[in-house]
């Protein structure tokens, strides 16, 4: 999550949706923000005291954390945005990311279909790097009553265009959007990774995301 008091925005970073590129492009704004330095100090002191303040929220925090910690008027005044991704494509991206950077979390399942079944098995012990990528994307967008409280939902599938829209909204020139953590070892079309049963497994597990965000397997 990235909060900018000067530019009045809150970026909710959902894993594997292009958020690392968005964060990298916007990160430089913090050096122009006079609030950054006192926020940094408050974050350090709150960490030491054990009394957590919303000056620095975790990288993949959900929007509800900011809503509950920030003053209501201030939260409401922020331009809040996030990016989402087709759930079938996201799981392929997650598989390659884990296989490339954290192969110890594959659980001995080097085949995508086997890994997916194991990953979505409710009997599997919790592991952060696996479970972050199967948390429903809509969980990051809603408050405690289930209402969507972000102002803009960008799409990974049109990342550059939606990022440009966001930059216009917050009043900055659109910076270069780097291709951070882009996989080079995967097929371009995610559909080639799936059989009918594994595609249905994702459809059932991510049913709310698919319905609320309007995604489908065919693109």
């Amino acid at each position: 999550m990235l909060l900018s008091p000067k530019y009045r925005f809150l970026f909710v970073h959902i894993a594997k949706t292009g958020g690392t590129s968005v964060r990298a492009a916007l990160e430089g704004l913090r050096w122009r923000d006079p609030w950054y330095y006192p926020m940094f100090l408050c974050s350090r002191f709150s960490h030491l005291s054990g009394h957590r303040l919303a000056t620095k929220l975790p990288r993949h925090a959900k929007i509800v954390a900011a809503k509950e910690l920030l003053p209501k008027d201030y939260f409401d005044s922020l331009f809040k945005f996030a990016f989402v991704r087709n759930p079938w494509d996201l799981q392929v991206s997650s598989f390659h990311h884990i296989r490339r950077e954290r192969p110890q979390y594959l659980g001995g399942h080097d085949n995508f279909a086997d890994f997916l079944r194991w990953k979505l098995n409710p009997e599997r012990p919790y592991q952060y790097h696996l479970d972050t990528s199967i948390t429903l994307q809509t969980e990051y967008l809603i408050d405690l009553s289930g209402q969507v409280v972000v102002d803009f939902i960008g799409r990974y599938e049109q990342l550059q265009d939606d990022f440009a829209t966001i930059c216009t909204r917050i009043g900055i020139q659109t910076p270069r959007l780097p291709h951070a953590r882009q996989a080079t070892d995967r097929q371009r079309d995610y559909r080639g990774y799936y059989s009918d049963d594994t595609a249905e497994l994702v459809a059932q597990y991510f049913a709310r995301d698919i319905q609320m965000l309007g995604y489908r397997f065919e693109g």
Side-chain angles (χ1 to χ4, degrees):
M1 191 173 283
L2 189 62
L3 171 65
S4 174
K6 179 178 180 178
Y7 295 95
R8 311 290 285 185
F9 72 76
L10 180 70
F11 168 48
V12 181
H13 184 174
I14 302 173
K16 307 308 299 173
T17 62
T20 300
S21 296
V22 171
R23 177 183 287 273
L26 296 177
E27 199 92 308
L29 296 179
R30 66 170 55 190
W31 308 114
R32 306 181 217 165
D33 195 333
W35 285 99
Y36 170 71
Y37 302 99
M39 284 171 62
F40 175 79
L41 290 174
C42 287
S43 175
R44 298 307 300 169
F45 285 129
S46 71
H47 178 73
L48 292 172
S49 69
H51 183 71
R52 182 69 71 179
L53 301 174
T55 53
K56 184 179 179 182
L57 291 157
R59 184 183 186 89
H60 294 301
K62 299 171 184 176
I63 189 84
V64 68
K67 184 174 183 182
E68 294 300 306
L69 287 168
L70 293 170
K72 182 180 184 305
D73 290 345
Y74 183 71
F75 177 83
D76 290 343
S77 74
L78 296 170
F79 175 61
K80 300 169 285 292
F81 64 93
F83 280 86
V84 296
R85 186 174 187 170
N86 183 306
W88 290 277
D89 187 32
L90 189 152
Q91 292 311 308
V92 173
S93 176
S94 173
F95 169 69
H96 281 282
H97 170 77
I98 291 170
R99 189 169 69 172
R100 183 178 63 253
E101 298 191 15
R102 296 183 174 88
Q104 68 273 23
Y105 292 111
L106 288 173
H109 305 280
D110 197 49
N111 172 274
F112 172 73
D114 292 342
F115 176 69
L116 181 66
R117 292 187 183 95
W118 178 70
K119 186 181 183 184
L120 298 182
N121 184 350
E123 302 299 319
R124 174 183 55 79
Y126 176 85
Q127 295 183 62
Y128 172 79
H129 294 291
L130 300 182
D131 289 83
T132 300
S133 63
I134 60 172
T135 300
L136 294 181
Q137 295 175 71
T138 45
E139 283 290 317
Y140 289 88
L141 312 176
I142 60 176
D143 62 13
L144 292 175
S145 63
Q147 297 298 309
V148 174
V149 288
V150 294
D151 302 302
F152 183 85
I153 300 175
R155 305 276 174 167
Y156 175 85
E157 296 77 20
Q158 53 192 46
L159 184 64
Q160 188 64 62
D161 289 344
D162 284 348
F163 181 62
T165 299
I166 288 163
C167 291
T168 299
R169 173 64 178 77
I170 63 180
I172 63 168
Q173 292 278 337
T174 304
R176 185 180 69 86
L177 197 58
H179 294 288
R181 296 184 177 182
Q182 190 173 42
T184 58
D185 56 346
R186 60 162 287 181
Q187 299 174 31
R188 187 170 182 83
D189 189 342
Y190 64 84
R191 292 172 294 182
Y193 287 83
Y194 288 93
S195 61
D196 289 345
D197 65 313
T198 53
E200 181 59 24
L201 185 64
V202 170
Q204 292 179 9
Y205 191 95
F206 298 99
R208 189 176 74 179
D209 283 358
I210 292 164
Q211 179 183 16
M212 288 182 64
L213 302 175
Y215 281 112
R216 57 193 178 92
F217 183 71
E218 291 301 325

